[in-house]
Amino acid sequence: MTENELPGPDDEARVPRRVIGTPAQGTAVLGTRPATAEVETPGVTLPDPADARKAERTVTLLFFIAFLAGIAFIASYVIFQVGDIDSTGVSNAALGGSLTVALLALSAGVVVWVRRIMPKYNIVQERHEMRSDGDTREYVGKTFVAGANESGFVKHKMMRRTLLLAAAPLGLAPLVLLKDLGPLPGTSLRHTVWKKGMKLVVEGTGQPILASDFDSPGGILSVVPEGYEHDLNALAKATLILIKFRPEDLKAGTIKNWTYDGIVAYSKICTHVGCPAALYEQTTHHILCPCHQSTFDATDGAKVIFGPAARPLPQLPIGVDGQGYLIAQADFDVPVGPSFWERGDAEADAREARGNQS
Amino acid sequence: MNETPKPIAGTASYLDDRLGAGSFLKRNLRKVFPDHWSFLLGEIALYSFIILLLTGTFLTFWFKPSMQHVIYDGSYQPLVGVGMSEAYASTLHISFEVRGGLLIRQMHHWAALLFVAGMTVHMLRVFFTGAYRKPRELNWIIGVLLLTLALAEGLTGYSLPDDLLSGAGLRITEGVAISIPVVGTYITFFLFGGEYPGEDVISRFYSLHILLIPGILLALISAHMVLMWVQKHTQMPGPGRTEHNVVGAPFYPAFMAKAGAYFLFTFACIAGLGTFAQINPIWLFGPYTPADISAGSQPDWYMGFLEGALRLMPSWEINFLDHTVPLSVLIPALVPMGIIMTGLAVYPFAEQWITGDRREHHLADRPRNAPVRTAIGMSGVTFYGILWLMGANDWISAYFHIGLYETTIIGRFAIFIGPAIAYWVTYRICLGLQRRDQDILSHGVESGVIKRLPHGEYIEVHVPPAEDIAEHMRGKKEIPIVPGDEDKDGIPPKGVRGPIGKLRAKASKFYGTDHVPLDGHGHDGHDEHAAVGASDKPRELH
């Protein structure tokens, strides 16, 4: 890849033809610009020395500001301590402000330097086609074939085939090694930690819920299983929303046997991609997932009325224990959360199973 | 000062004696870089990447990629006594107890946003100017890979602090992964080390985020730079610029200094944003729990189009033979990304096939001069833009008082209609701009001088355009068309036979036909003094 300079048409008369980058006699090779303006290069327009001197003052000022701001940065680090939100704010402003000013002044200085002290350039270089010339290509092609033949790779079939054979399982090895990244799913996605008799407790406080206390229609609670309040794996499937209705509000989609005194428990994990369906609109009885706005009708078995979720939020059978605390009657009878390949139409199976029981 | 200063000359000769760097430097010190504002866009991404490496390394000194449950006892009072993962606690530590920690954290996040933004606008520049054409197709492919990897890098990094907001993103990632037919459940269990959320995903994302993906990014960015260097940069058409030269400023010293200044400027902007524009205040979100979420959750901007796609999708799901294909997750998660990334990757080759153009191109196209390409590009931008907007449809609904479901329903139509409208409008604008160029070249520019002719007519004197403007316009290149006409025996030429060949010939004609040739003249009967308005006679275009 060579780059020859083509002097512009009108430069021809003034300057001898020569390669850019091989400076004329008496020019400094690196760093400094020529002291005399008489040495000119095609496409290089030197700035007016007086203007350059003026610009130098600007650049010097900017570099000096950068220097001061740099000092201020170091000083800020020493002076401003962190530890609470206010002092961190002050430290952040001082460190960041001084750093910003330092970098900004430095970059502005270099810009002025380039634009007013360095020459204006309009250098022309030739391009060459990327492809090499015919002789080279031919030589490379021949060499390649010759090399392949010399290596014996072409001739010795048995060797070639066993080499490929050897490579195949080794290529799979990294994949095999990844197997222990996690356990196999098994049926774990079909179950949650809920089981008969497990108390429903309020998320956050861990208080069990007296059915008689949860008595204002329209009330809603976020509920977790007792004993699993801080087990994120359990919560990712077992978290519930508990809603109190007037019994006459409940429609056919909700399984009445699984409610207690108008209190219904649905899985809080959205059936779309698993965000907590955390928003509830009292007047319309809509449960809304804030992630992708799947909307479920809480009075009607949490069936989907809008959005990308394809299935209702599963309902958990609940009841009360001897002291009147809400408990689970069983685990969910369908997998909660997002759909997966092995899931199948679990709702249909569950309906069939319920039909057989009654 | 005519002598080279000793330290410089000494170093140069020391290195040359050992590395033979002289001949390389002789060829490259004065390598010419053409100038145009749009050539700086990619540099934003490059410098952001460097800043990401620097700030990211700083963060690793304190960050603990662990999901170990700890009780917070640090200096942020509202969370003292709250149980959380070690990852979240160490992020709080970086924010409140490490001097400059908050600044660097915020700079890292801003730099990440700017990194992807810089790549995106750079990619658009390359696309619309046709700078991906031969010989630069390979570099274009590297660019597409870089963009895809940057999204993965952003996703893995965003999830690390393990706060409530990033956890929502992780949950969605899990929901998408588990929806993949046949292998989805296994992928999820392997990724999370069992059921979601497990205790492994943060440390796994961490090694992907700080080692594997940045390593590949660094290698690909280096290759991107080397190819650019070897192939030399494209240039905009203009005086003295041809397909066979490159006009501009030399690498040393001008381009080097400019690039340095631009790096510092990018750095300053990111520092300024990190200082004055709060980003991701994780202490306000609280630690992650799969049981909670805050309303109005938004991902980082570059994930917005995927989020929007998920929101737009109707609730389609297929059950058959005890298996489930959740189309309402699969389609939005894979199709838009697939269309955009695959579309970008194959575009140079599709264009080459359609135009039959195997020449090298070093002069960039002005977008108007390739109207079909520009229109396709704009319809892609619109497709992406609508999805991106729909990723914030709850905010749009809240701010503009439009019903939430209406925004979704409008979006479902707009995603098909929008790109079509954008295509048509862009195409017409391109032809209009071409016509204007044609007008200026054949007719001159308005001089502002009004002249009264002997018979009383007033005209505005037109003068020829300035040379640089005229040259810029004359840089328009014809787009080749594959010859498709049948010969006298009714046999079409090679390459356009059969149904695919016919399609190709048709596409080629559509793609390449120049409706507004520069030397075409719509000004018969008028000299360069023609009156304003007289040139606006409708011209037949099709």
Side-chain angles (χ1 to χ4, degrees):
Chain A
M1 196 178 66
T2 54
E3 278 127 41
N4 300 323
E5 299 308 326
L6 290 182
D10 41 356
D11 295 325
E12 203 112 27
R14 274 183 297 148
V15 258
R17 292 175 66 100
R18 57 193 177 74
V19 175
I20 294 274
T22 53
Q25 287 293 311
T27 321
V29 180
L30 298 163
T32 50
R33 86 195 138 79
T36 47
E38 69 212 31
V39 190
E40 276 186 40
T41 321
V44 181
T45 318
L46 293 174
D48 171 39
D51 186 56
R53 269 194 301 278
K54 227 160 78 189
E56 187 186 2
R57 284 198 288 277
T58 316
V59 177
T60 310
L61 177 69
L62 286 165
F63 284 177
F64 192 67
I65 292 173
F67 164 75
L68 290 181
I71 298 283
F73 181 84
I74 296 169
S76 308
Y77 189 85
V78 178
I79 294 166
F80 298 107
Q81 300 303 311
V82 291
D84 60 68
I85 197 149
D86 293 323
S87 60
T88 303
V90 172
S91 159
N92 188 60
L95 286 171
S98 52
L99 181 64
T100 308
V101 171
L103 293 169
L104 212 53
L106 208 52
S107 74
V110 179
V111 168
V112 177
W113 175 16
V114 173
R115 294 187 72 91
R116 293 184 49 199
I117 296 178
M118 284 191 199
K120 297 265 171 293
Y121 292 98
N122 195 36
I123 296 179
V124 182
Q125 266 176 0
E126 240 184 288
R127 280 184 200 273
H128 304 275
E129 229 189 330
M130 292 314 298
R131 62 182 290 153
S132 323
D133 60 73
D135 288 350
T136 310
R137 286 162 76 99
E138 200 178 330
Y139 174 79
V140 170
K142 273 187 185 152
T143 311
F144 188 78
V145 173
N149 287 331
E150 285 164 16
S151 76
F153 191 73
V154 182
K155 195 172 159 194
H156 301 276
K157 271 188 195 162
M158 197 67 96
M159 179 185 81
R160 192 168 72 221
R161 284 175 187 165
T162 44
L163 179 63
L164 292 176
L165 187 72
L170 283 174
L172 284 173
L175 281 179
V176 172
L177 277 176
L178 291 179
K179 164 63 194 68
D180 275 352
L181 276 174
L184 295 178
T187 59
S188 55
L189 288 172
R190 298 191 173 270
H191 310 292
T192 73
V193 295
W194 288 112
K195 57 177 192 247
K196 189 174 171 62
M198 187 177 277
K199 274 205 185 89
L200 278 66
V201 299
V202 178
E203 189 209 340
T205 66
Q207 292 294 317
I209 304 153
L210 266 178
S212 51
D213 283 355
F214 188 55
D215 56 358
S216 60
I220 176 168
L221 279 176
S222 185
V223 165
V224 295
E226 184 176 40
Y228 294 92
E229 293 89 343
H230 300 294
D231 181 342
L232 299 190
N233 275 16
L235 296 185
K237 287 193 300 187
T239 310
L240 305 177
I241 34 178
L242 200 65
I243 308 173
K244 167 85 180 181
F245 293 105
R246 277 182 282 276
E248 64 269 23
D249 285 342
L250 289 174
K251 295 179 196 141
T254 308
I255 300 166
K256 301 263 177 20
N257 293 343
W258 289 5
T259 66
Y260 179 81
D261 191 23
I263 301 172
V264 191
Y266 293 116
S267 164
K268 192 180 179 181
I269 308 305
C270 184
T271 54
H272 178 222
V273 285
C275 291
L279 304 179
Y280 180 65
E281 200 182 21
Q282 260 189 32
T283 47
T284 54
H285 309 302
H286 288 174
I287 301 168
L288 180 83
C289 176
C291 279
H292 306 103
Q293 295 134 19
S294 295
T295 309
F296 307 89
D297 184 349
T299 57
D300 199 7
K303 72 167 187 197
V304 181
I305 50 178
F306 194 82
R311 289 175 292 101
L313 298 170
Q315 188 186 347
L316 185 79
I318 55 168
V320 289
D321 64 5
Q323 296 146 306
Y325 287 111
L326 289 173
I327 54 166
Q329 296 285 18
D331 193 0
F332 292 101
D333 66 352
V334 294
V336 302
S339 299
F340 51 96
W341 171 249
E342 296 87 353
R343 190 180 190 283
D345 194 353
E347 275 70 17
D349 299 343
R351 269 195 303 275
E352 204 173 308
R354 286 199 293 270
N356 292 342
Q357 272 170 23
S358 55
Chain B
M1 283 293 284
N2 284 350
E3 294 294 312
T4 311
K6 191 108 196 192
I8 297 176
T11 314
S13 114
Y14 181 93
L15 288 177
D16 189 36
D17 289 349
R18 279 152 191 84
L19 306 172
S23 60
F24 173 81
L25 291 178
K26 182 185 167 194
R27 278 184 281 116
N28 286 298
L29 268 179
R30 283 293 199 171
K31 187 177 190 67
V32 164
F33 281 81
D35 219 2
H36 191 262
W37 64 267
S38 67
F39 299 167
L40 295 175
L41 298 172
E43 289 185 48
I44 298 178
L46 178 65
Y47 303 143
S48 301
F49 182 70
I50 295 169
I51 294 163
L52 282 168
L53 291 181
L54 296 175
T55 52
T57 305
F58 180 89
L59 295 175
T60 61
F61 295 155
W62 290 275
F63 180 71
K64 295 189 176 62
S66 149
M67 294 173 90
Q68 179 86 39
H69 192 78
V70 295
I71 304 294
Y72 183 67
D73 64 348
S75 57
Y76 182 62
Q77 289 306 319
L79 288 176
V80 170
V82 174
M84 59 182 62
S85 70
E86 216 176 347
Y88 185 65
S90 66
T91 313
L92 288 173
H93 176 69
I94 292 172
S95 304
F96 289 115
E97 282 137 36
V98 176
R99 277 177 284 176
L102 179 63
L103 178 68
I104 300 293
R105 231 199 80 221
Q106 301 209 109
M107 282 173 63
H108 191 70
H109 203 136
W110 273 116
L113 300 190
L114 213 58
F115 178 50
V116 190
M119 289 173 108
T120 308
V121 286
H122 168 63
M123 189 263 303
L124 290 175
R125 190 278 292 177
V126 171
F127 181 85
F128 285 120
T129 61
Y132 55 77
R133 287 173 297 174
K134 189 179 170 188
R136 295 184 177 77
E137 308 98 315
L138 296 178
N139 226 11
W140 171 258
I141 295 286
I142 292 178
V144 175
L145 284 176
L146 281 171
L147 186 61
T148 317
L149 279 171
L151 297 185
E153 179 70 346
L155 179 76
T156 49
Y158 185 76
S159 305
L160 293 180
D162 204 22
D163 57 280
L164 191 58
L165 186 59
S166 80
L170 202 53
R171 176 87 229 205
I172 296 170
T173 309
E174 188 256 359
V176 167
I178 208 169
S179 76
I180 299 169
V182 187
V183 292
T185 318
Y186 292 89
I187 288 179
T188 313
F189 271 64
F190 292 162
L191 179 62
F192 289 88
E195 283 197 82
Y196 179 84
E199 288 188 342
D200 295 322
V201 68
I202 299 272
S203 54
R204 286 175 186 177
F205 271 20
Y206 186 65
S207 59
L208 297 179
H209 181 75
I210 69 157
L211 180 68
L212 186 66
I213 305 176
I216 303 172
L217 279 174
L218 190 60
L220 287 178
I221 289 173
S222 309
H224 205 65
M225 296 291 102
V226 168
L227 285 190
M228 184 271 293
W229 189 279
V230 169
Q231 297 177 330
K232 300 196 182 84
H233 209 280
T234 51
Q235 58 190 348
M236 283 298 190
R241 298 176 188 176
T242 70
E243 292 282 8
H244 305 290
N245 70 12
V246 48
V247 180
F251 177 73
Y252 176 82
F255 186 77
M256 228 163 119
K258 279 195 236 179
Y262 201 50
F263 169 68
L264 290 168
F265 182 70
T266 310
F267 207 161
C269 287
I270 288 171
L273 285 166
T275 311
F276 301 110
Q278 187 182 65
I279 187 162
N280 207 19
I282 47 115
W283 57 91
L284 299 179
F285 305 146
Y288 177 62
T289 156
D292 287 312
I293 190 160
S294 42
S297 295
Q298 292 284 297
D300 276 351
W301 78 266
Y302 46 82
M303 285 291 157
F305 78 107
L306 291 174
E307 176 78 0
L310 281 168
R311 291 180 183 197
L312 274 191
M313 188 68 194
S315 55
W316 298 351
E317 184 164 301
I318 299 172
N319 282 306
F320 69 98
L321 304 176
D322 282 342
H323 288 297
T324 301
V325 183
L327 294 177
S328 64
V329 183
L330 269 181
I331 291 179
L334 302 180
V335 172
M337 181 96 159
I339 291 177
I340 292 167
M341 294 302 180
T342 320
L344 287 173
V346 302
Y347 198 88
F349 307 100
E351 187 182 60
Q352 240 173 56
W353 182 72
I354 287 172
T355 58
D357 188 357
R358 299 271 185 276
R359 298 170 301 175
E360 283 192 8
H361 292 276
H362 302 290
L363 272 182
D365 275 335
R366 297 170 79 206
R368 68 187 62 175
N369 291 334
V372 178
R373 176 204 295 147
T374 306
I376 290 174
M378 280 314 292
S379 69
V381 168
T382 310
F383 178 73
Y384 181 94
I386 289 172
L387 290 178
W388 187 76
L389 271 181
M390 293 321 289
N393 71 332
D394 44 351
W395 289 99
I396 293 173
S397 163
Y399 274 114
F400 296 101
H401 305 287
I402 307 168
L404 184 62
Y405 302 150
E406 278 80 55
T407 59
T408 309
I409 290 164
I410 292 169
R412 282 173 186 171
F413 286 101
I415 197 62
F416 296 107
I417 301 168
I421 295 176
Y423 181 93
W424 187 81
V425 169
T426 310
Y427 190 78
R428 299 315 306 182
I429 290 176
C430 285
L431 291 194
L433 288 170
Q434 282 191 37
R435 223 168 279 151
R436 183 179 152 73
D437 290 352
Q438 180 196 52
D439 188 59
I440 287 174
L441 283 181
S442 62
H443 198 63
V445 291
E446 294 161 4
S447 64
V449 177
I450 308 291
K451 189 170 158 187
R452 189 180 175 197
L453 298 182
H455 57 275
E457 185 189 355
Y458 284 97
I459 61 160
E460 182 175 9
V461 177
H462 280 57
V463 295
E467 196 48 33
D468 54 336
I469 296 175
E471 283 297 319
H472 192 50
M473 288 170 178
R474 281 195 206 102
K476 177 176 176 181
K477 285 269 154 32
E478 76 170 310
I479 304 168
I481 298 174
V482 183
D485 293 332
E486 296 167 357
D487 64 11
K488 58 182 186 296
D489 301 326
I491 297 164
K494 232 176 145 185
V496 294
R497 290 176 197 159
I500 293 184
K502 275 193 187 124
L503 180 75
R504 181 184 177 200
K506 249 186 196 158
S508 188
K509 204 167 171 197
F510 181 73
Y511 202 88
T513 304
D514 190 356
H515 297 294
V516 193
L518 273 187
D519 49 2
H521 37 76
H523 311 284
D524 311 65
H526 293 279
D527 60 9
E528 75 271 20
H529 296 297
V532 182
S535 65
D536 288 344
K537 277 184 193 154
R539 285 184 291 272
E540 213 51 56
L541 289 175
H542 294 280

